[in-house]
């Protein structure tokens, strides 16, 4: 994708957005070059003592030697040759060990309120930051923690203990009212972990109907419950829950999602068929229906084509053996496949591209691009040509395309179309400047030459003479034009 | 301009704690927080007496790398480290096996598998679990179901809420926070946020003023105030370091992360992805050809580089618009070349000594320059491509409100070309956000094209995007995006990329909405934009926290105020760059420290909202 200079200029200047343009393109480029040059020069100067003095030692993968992820690899690797590894690694004495007293300040001490007076002294000394003299009195242990041996916790205290990861029994919350009070306190604490813990208890001790009903008025808890059920893959209860809450569409999607874990294509197809009865939104239902239809077709095509391929009688499968199964591929990929292997089939077959286009209402543009790419890949230039054919009322044929011809050229070129094919389509590009650029890029000499002739630009034509092969027909053509006395050159 | 005036590369190299030096050069010494986290880790390790092996949930090695190095673990008798996987644990002659894991059910199953397949002859080994950042009831229950819970001597949690990422940046590295909050309505991440903020206040003093915008912001503020009440009676005697806390919901500004970031650091993240402060790059540009060596052993593994302000050059250029990076690098190149040339002038022994003593620093600078020149070259190849330009043009059209109500031909073409789905989703969502919802016809068309091209199972993803508000059908109300854009000056016609005078330089024209809100809060205050605030989702509020008398700051004249901006649901590097820019503006009088649940970009963000992003058909 090398843009010619003209093309590029054109882009930068034609857009009304001048932002992020390289105003002085050359300058910018040469500046990077400058620094590259400097780097290279200096390297030569200091080559010998290169790595030794580097700031930090870095293994090739870039991990500083001694970083954790580097060490995971190192120690794991060395364990395979245990004989070389001494039981205890020697900590070399030349590396200054970290002063342990330097940070007497640990996060847990902040929260657990352990007195560490001695350490804190050294800490504040070490940091010489007078503002850190006192440590976190705000976070001193709340009162409730002292009651460690009392067992009848209030809902509030229970929640706090859960938050601190302490043992606590929920069994004492027996009545529905108690349980809900506990749940509400958990919700107020916003700790998902605690909410989930309480929910697990409620799930075990309440009947579904009651639980669902109560959750409906507690959205936060509800979300956590849904998350819990999907994490633990309790699909059945999840669906029931969604239905109970009138979230039928969510439930439908959730069930649909399960198809992803079914690997057998026939089972997957049947599963999708069953999904069609789920309460999707109208729009989603149409997509799921298409999904089902597509897989059903893919299965049929796959069986037929595998036989054809094995039979060895169908030429195209011999010439271009299939690289992958068509099963579970997206629709457009399937269309491409059918344009490749089943292009000329009558519209009645499942694998006919036209039939696929009809059934799935593929947009004209998508169909066109896909067919174009597939036929170009096969170098079926006649098919390509036919795609553009359109007859006007006088019976003349002219080339029409739902795509810009620039994109057409692009697609053809990506499929390595030869110059004589490209030329036809470059010629159809409406915009003169763009046409010229494309012609230059793809070496469509005739177009360039006749464009210069039409521009009456003798200088450009002279210049272009140097770009064509010596002694070629193009060169002769240029010479003829240059010596043609009838043309009134503008320069 | 940057805070890192002096080069501490040399002293870093000398010190074992080189990773952390850059944390203490900012306005707020974030090293205190890191030290506290390290202390906690040591305490836990010492609880398990004797030799140890750690089995890592691989995801955690990144965040932990920001806190500690292997040497710290080694000092506490950690002899072996493994990655958590199914099957039997590798042999290790140690007393303790410690699992460092996130509280996830699938990880519990692996641990259970490890334990049940443990050779009984090694029954003398003790097992421990350290949950990061919190214990989980669900996980313990799962271990119980698997019949292994009793095998653990110790089940503990390591509260790693806010990880210091750089001198002015804290991240929780909580990837799923946005999805949990806005899709699943699970507020656990908010609880962790509030906890993290309490820790921060314990270390840096009570923050007297709290502002916020958005539902989640309101909840976090409520939790903080509640937690404070629970500890009522004792007062924090630390002189407050932060004057203000601003809590911002990501869903107040859904637009910004969707736009392609155009700062140096932002582009590195967009193109290669920065993870826990590291980036992996294609190795070709970094191969060092030494004399006498052929090119036979070109590395094939990606080159991994650490990116933070400890690197002087990186600190200088990371927040620049990419178009200004070339000039900065070439200027640097000249300085370094000149410094090396000095050796010719060194005549006396003293002069030579002087030169030699500076050599390590110069070489560090040289290798830093080499790396960033290579990265800039890699990025330039992409930013000068037609595809990049076309994409950017469409983004800018949307952001300026051009044709947002029609099917966009470029998006259509990208779908036809089967460009990556995430790219399509980013653009479609952006169009939806900039049009305050898409017309039914437009939405249906996009949906159909996407499902036909990428597979019908993406119905699930599209539904998620709708639930999160990124994609929505237009309702009766009129499109208020133009009003928001004009009032907040979200589009600046003449953004200066080389010498910026406004935050819009980070997106070459678009000023991130989130940062405009922050800027306006500082001056002239939110009262001036009440109308627009009402158009954005969620409540806005102000709270005050009482300070004990005597802790009220007596401000020196000209002393800046410090605001902690907390992005709930993620922040992009470009937004960070914009805040750093505001900190540096001479007369702003405000310095910003940034905290977030996760550093994101449009791609990682959309990915976090997808259902099964790696579907088998892709």
């Amino acid at each position: 994708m090398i843009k010619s200079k003209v093309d590029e200029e054109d882009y930068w200047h034609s857009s009304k957005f001048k932002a992020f343009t390289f105003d002085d393109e050359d300058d910018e480029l040469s500046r990077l070059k400058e620094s590259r040059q400097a780097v290279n020069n200096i390297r030569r100067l200091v080559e010998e003592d290169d790595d030794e003095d580097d700031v930090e030692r870095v293994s090739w993968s870039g991990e500083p030697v001694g970083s954790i992820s580097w060490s995971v690899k190192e120690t794991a690797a060395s364990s395979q040759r245990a004989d070389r590894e001494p039981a205890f690694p020697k900590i070399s004495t030349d590396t200054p060990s970290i002063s342990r007293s330097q940070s007497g300040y640990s996060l847990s001490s902040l929260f657990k309120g352990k007195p560490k007076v001695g350490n804190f002294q050294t800490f504040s000394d070490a940091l010489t930051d007078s503002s850190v003299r006192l440590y976190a009195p705000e976070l001193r242990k709340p009162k409730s923690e002292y009651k460690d041996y009392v067992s009848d916790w209030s809902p509030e205290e229970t929640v706090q203990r859960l938050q601190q990861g302490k043992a606590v029994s929920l069994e004492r919350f027996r009545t529905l009212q108690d349980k809900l009070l506990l749940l509400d306190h958990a919700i107020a604490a916003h700790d998902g972990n605690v909410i989930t813990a309480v929910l697990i208890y409620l799930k075990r001790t309440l009947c579904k109907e009651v639980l669902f009903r109560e959750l409906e008025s507690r959205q936060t808890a509800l979300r956590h419950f849904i998350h819990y059920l999907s994490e633990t893959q309790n699909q059945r209860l999840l669906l029931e829950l969604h239905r109970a809450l009138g979230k039928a569409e969510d439930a439908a999607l959730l069930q649909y999602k399960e198809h992803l874990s079914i690997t057998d294509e026939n089972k997957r197809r049947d599963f999708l068929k069953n999904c069609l009865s789920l309460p999707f939104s109208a729009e989603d239902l149409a997509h799921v229906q298409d999904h089902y239809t597509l897989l059903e077709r893919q299965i049929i095509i796959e069986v037929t084509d595998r036989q054809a391929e094995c039979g060895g009688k169908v030429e195209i499968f011999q010439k271009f053996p299939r690289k992958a199964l068509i099963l579970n591929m997206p629709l457009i990929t399937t269309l491409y496949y059918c344009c490749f292997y089943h292009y000329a089939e009558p519209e009645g077959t499942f694998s006919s591209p036209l039939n696929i286009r009809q059934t799935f209402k593929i947009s004209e543009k998508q169909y066109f691009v896909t067919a174009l790419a597939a036929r170009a890949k096969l170098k079926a230039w006649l098919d390509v040509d036919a795609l553009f054919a359109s007859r006007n009322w006088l019976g003349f044929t002219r080339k029409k395309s739902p795509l810009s011809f620039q994109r057409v050229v692009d697609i053809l070129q990506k499929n390595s179309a030869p110059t004589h094919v490209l030329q036809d389509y470059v010629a159809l590009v409406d915009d003169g400047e763009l046409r010229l650029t494309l012609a230059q890029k793809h070496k469509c000499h005739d177009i360039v030459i006749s464009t210069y002739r039409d521009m009456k630009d003798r200088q450009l034509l002279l210049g272009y003479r140097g770009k064509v092969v010596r002694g070629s027909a193009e060169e002769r053509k240029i010479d003829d034009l240059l010596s043609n006395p009838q043309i009134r050159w503008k320069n | 301009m940057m805070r890192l005036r002096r080069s501490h590369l040399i002293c870093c190299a000398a010190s074992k704690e080189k990773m952390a030096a850059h944390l203490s050069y900012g306005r707020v010494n974030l090293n205190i927080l890191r030290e506290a986290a390290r202390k906690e880790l040591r305490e836990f390790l010492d609880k398990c007496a004797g030799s140890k092996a750690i089995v890592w949930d691989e995801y955690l090695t990144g965040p932990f790398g920001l806190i500690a190095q292997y040497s710290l673990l080694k000092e506490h008798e950690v002899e072996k480290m493994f990655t958590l996987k199914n099957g039997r644990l590798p042999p290790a002659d140690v007393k303790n096996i410690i699992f460092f894991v996130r509280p996830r059910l699938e990880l519990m199953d692996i641990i259970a598998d490890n334990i049940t397949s443990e050779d009984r002859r090694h029954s003398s080994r003790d097992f421990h679990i350290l949950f990061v950042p919190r214990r989980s009831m669900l996980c313990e229950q799962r271990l119980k179901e698997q019949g292994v819970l009793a095998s653990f001597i110790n089940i503990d949690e390591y509260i790693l809420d806010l990880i210091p990422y750089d001198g002015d940046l804290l991240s929780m590295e909580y990837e799923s926070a946005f999805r949990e909050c806005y899709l699943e309505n699970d507020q656990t991440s908010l609880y962790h946020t509030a906890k993290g903020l309490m820790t921060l206040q314990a270390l840096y003093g009570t923050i007297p003023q709290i502002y916020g915008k958005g539902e989640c912001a309101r909840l976090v503020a409520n939790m903080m105030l509640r937690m404070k009440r629970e500890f009522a009676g004792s007062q924090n005697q630390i002189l407050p370091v932060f004057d203000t806390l601003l809590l911002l919901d990501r869903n107040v500004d859904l637009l910004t992360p969707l736009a392609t970031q155009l700062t140096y650091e932002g582009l590195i993240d967009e193109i290669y992805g920065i993870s826990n402060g590291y980036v992996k790059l294609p190795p070709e540009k970094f191969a060092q050809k030494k004399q006498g060596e052929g090119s036979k052993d070109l590395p094939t593994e990606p080159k991994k580089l650490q990116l933070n302000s400890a690197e002087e050059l990186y600190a200088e250029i990371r927040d620049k618009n990419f178009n200004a990076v070339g000039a900065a690098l070439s200027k640097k190149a000249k300085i370094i070349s000149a410094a090396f040339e000095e050796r010719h002038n060194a005549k006396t022994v003293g002069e030579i000594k002087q030169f030699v003593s500076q050599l390590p620093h110069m070489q560090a600078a040289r290798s830093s320059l080499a790396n960033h020149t290579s990265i800039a070259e890699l990025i330039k190849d992409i930013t000068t491509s037609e595809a990049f330009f076309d994409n950017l043009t469409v983004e800018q059209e949307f952001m300026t409100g051009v044709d947002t109500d029609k099917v966009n031909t470029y998006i259509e073409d990208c779908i036809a070309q089967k460009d990556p789905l995430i790219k399509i989703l980013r653009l479609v969502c952006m169009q939806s956000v900039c049009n305050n919802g898409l017309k039914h016809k437009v939405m249906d068309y996009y949906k159909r094209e996407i499902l036909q091209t990428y597979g019908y199972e993406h119905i699930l993803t599209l539904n998620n995007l709708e639930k999160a508000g990124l994609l929505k059908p237009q309702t009766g109300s009129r499109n208020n995006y133009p009003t928001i854009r004009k009032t907040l000056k979200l589009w600046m016609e003449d953004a200066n990329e080389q010498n910026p005078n406004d935050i819009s330089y980070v997106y070459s024209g678009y000023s991130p909405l989130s940062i405009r809100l922050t800027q306006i809060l500082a001056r002239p205050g939110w009262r001036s934009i009440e109308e627009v605030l009402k158009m954005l989702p969620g409540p806005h509020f102000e709270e005050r926290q009482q300070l004990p008398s005597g802790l009220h700051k007596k401000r020196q004249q000209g002393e800046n105020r410090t605001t902690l901006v907390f992005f709930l649901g993620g922040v992009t590097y470009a937004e960070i760059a914009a805040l750093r820019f505001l900190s540096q503006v001479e007369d702003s009088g405000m310095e910003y420290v940034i905290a977030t649940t996760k550093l994101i970009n449009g791609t990682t963000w959309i990915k976090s909202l997808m259902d099964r992003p790696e579907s088998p058909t892709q």
Side-chain angles (χ1 to χ4, degrees), chain A residues 196-197 200-201 203-204 228 232, chain B residues 105 108 131 136-149:
Chain A
T196 308
I200 293 172
Y201 173 65
K203 174 174 161 260
R204 194 156 52 80
Y228 163 70
T232 50
Chain B
L105 292 178
M108 297 308 110
F131 282 115
S136 141
M137 221 55 77
L138 264 176
C139 288
E140 286 171 42
Q141 205 205 14
R142 174 64 68 100
L143 290 173
K144 201 170 171 184
E145 283 164 16
Q146 302 265 23
V148 295
L149 189 65

Side-chain angles (χ1 to χ4, degrees), chain A residues 63-71 98, chain B residues 16-17 19-20 23 31 34-35 37-42 45 54 56 60-74 76 81 100 158 160 163-164 278 306:
Chain A
E63 302 281 2
V65 174
S67 80
I68 286 178
S69 53
W70 179 82
S71 308
I98 307 153
Chain B
K16 229 176 155 227
E17 289 307 288
M19 309 266 301
L23 297 178
N31 219 2
R34 183 171 180 270
E35 280 306 323
R38 290 163 67 86
K39 176 75 191 341
E40 168 95 3
L41 184 57
R42 291 195 196 108
L45 291 173
I54 295 178
W56 285 96
L60 288 177
T61 57
F64 263 84
L66 295 163
I67 297 294
Q69 298 250 299
Y70 181 47
S71 56
L72 180 145
L73 304 177
K74 221 164 159 182
H76 294 263
M81 306 213 281
F100 276 36
Y158 182 69
L160 195 62
I163 308 166
Y278 284 92
Q306 194 177 17

Side-chain angles (χ1 to χ4, degrees), chain B residues 150-170:
Chain B
S151 313
F152 293 97
I153 295 201
N154 224 330
I155 295 183
D156 221 325
E157 63 184 9
Y158 182 69
I159 309 165
L160 195 62
D161 283 329
L162 283 167
I163 308 166
Y165 216 94
D166 213 323
D168 57 356
L169 179 58
L170 299 158

Side-chain angles (χ1 to χ4, degrees), chain B residues 290-349:
Chain B
K290 296 218 168 166
Q291 276 175 344
E293 270 179 41
S295 54
K296 56 176 184 292
D297 45 18
L298 267 180
T300 47
E301 239 185 283
K303 168 90 170 165
K304 212 171 160 189
L305 281 177
Q306 194 177 17
L307 301 173
N308 62 38
S309 63
E311 193 183 350
E312 192 184 355
L313 175 62
Y314 187 62
E316 259 174 57
I317 60 175
R318 64 177 169 185
D319 299 319
K320 286 186 186 300
N321 184 292
F322 185 65
N323 280 341
V325 168
L329 284 176
S330 85
K331 201 172 119 201
K332 195 75 180 181
K334 279 176 196 142
I335 295 170
I336 294 173
S337 301
F340 274 98
E341 286 310 309
E342 279 295 304
R343 75 191 190 286
H344 298 303
N345 304 333
K347 296 286 187 310
T348 69
V349 177

Side-chain angles (χ1 to χ4, degrees), chain A residues 19 37 40 44 62-63 86 99 113 137 181 190 193 209 214 277 282 318 321 326 332 345 356 372 409:
Chain A
Q37 212 165 21
N40 290 342
R44 251 173 270 131
E63 302 281 2
S99 145
L181 199 61
H190 294 288
N193 204 13
E209 289 71 25
E214 293 302 334
S277 59
Q318 303 303 308
I326 193 60
I332 296 299
E345 275 174 23
I356 290 178
L372 183 63
V409 170

Side-chain angles (χ1 to χ4, degrees), chain A residues 3 11-12 17 19-22 28-29 31-32 34-36 38-39 42-43 45-47 49-51 55-56 60-64 66 68-69 71-72 75-76 79 85 87-89 96 98 100 103-108 111 116 131 134 136-140 142 162-163 165 188-193 196-197 200 220 223-224 228 231 250 253 256-257 260 283-284 287 290-291 294 328 330-333 360 363 365-366 407 414, chain B residues 13 16 18 35-36 38-40 42-43 56 68-70 75 79-81 83 105 135-138 141 159 184-188 191 199 202-203 206 219 223 228 231 234-238 262 278 288-290 299 301 304 321 323 326-327 329-330 333-334 336-337 340 343 363-364 366 369-370 373-374 376-377 380 386 389-390 392 396-397 409 412-413 417-418 444 447-449 451-453 455-457 459-460 463 497 508 611 617:
Chain A
K3 269 185 297 173
Y11 259 103
W12 296 125
F17 301 103
F20 210 70
T21 57
F22 292 95
E28 173 72 16
L29 262 173
R31 276 170 163 181
L32 260 185
E34 267 171 37
S35 88
R36 162 61 64 213
V39 165
I42 300 166
R43 182 171 294 147
L45 291 176
V46 291
E47 202 132 43
D49 39 356
D50 206 9
D51 287 332
V55 185
E56 57 179 358
W60 173 258
S61 68
E63 302 281 2
I68 286 178
S69 53
S71 308
V72 171
T75 61
S79 73
E85 187 80 356
F88 290 92
I98 307 153
R100 288 187 198 186
S103 60
Y105 217 165
S106 97
L107 294 180
S108 67
F111 291 105
K116 296 233 167 160
S131 68
L134 278 158
E138 244 187 325
L139 292 172
R140 221 174 278 147
L162 279 170
Q163 274 181 286
H190 294 288
D191 186 338
N193 204 13
T196 308
I200 293 172
T220 309
R223 297 288 177 158
H224 280 279
Y228 163 70
E231 277 284 291
D250 282 356
L253 278 172
Y256 165 77
K257 187 177 175 178
L260 288 166
E283 186 187 298
D284 284 347
H287 295 313
D290 280 353
H291 191 174
L294 177 63
N328 295 321
L331 174 62
I332 296 299
T333 313
F360 295 96
S363 70
K365 221 168 172 177
Q366 275 277 26
R407 287 264 296 129
K414 272 187 194 144
Chain B
K16 229 176 155 227
K18 63 197 167 201
E35 280 306 323
R38 290 163 67 86
K39 176 75 191 341
E40 168 95 3
R42 291 195 196 108
E43 279 183 2
W56 285 96
Q69 298 250 299
Y70 181 47
E75 280 170 37
E79 292 168 13
K80 291 272 196 297
M81 306 213 281
T83 313
L105 292 178
R135 288 175 73 148
S136 141
M137 221 55 77
L138 264 176
Q141 205 205 14
I159 309 165
E184 286 150 10
N185 210 2
D186 176 341
Q187 292 156 2
T188 309
Y191 172 75
T199 308
L203 293 166
T206 304
L219 283 169
M223 286 184 229
K228 191 178 155 71
F231 291 99
S234 53
Q235 287 194 314
N236 185 338
Q237 293 298 328
I238 298 171
L262 297 177
Y278 284 92
Q288 299 202 1
K289 271 193 222 117
K290 296 218 168 166
E301 239 185 283
K304 212 171 160 189
N321 184 292
N323 280 341
L329 284 176
S330 85
K334 279 176 196 142
I336 294 173
S337 301
F340 274 98
R343 75 191 190 286
Q363 288 193 17
R366 193 268 310 158
L369 178 67
T373 305
S374 298
E377 284 169 344
K380 192 167 179 64
E386 202 172 324
F389 179 80
D390 290 350
L392 200 64
Q396 297 191 344
E397 278 174 4
T409 326
E412 214 180 22
D413 288 348
Q417 288 175 69
K418 279 206 126 199
D444 287 350
K447 273 188 172 178
R448 172 174 286 271
E449 294 280 297
L451 295 177
Q452 288 186 345
T453 308
Y456 288 104
E457 66 274 20
I459 299 174
L460 298 163
N463 265 285
E497 294 165 348
S508 290
D611 249 307
T617 57

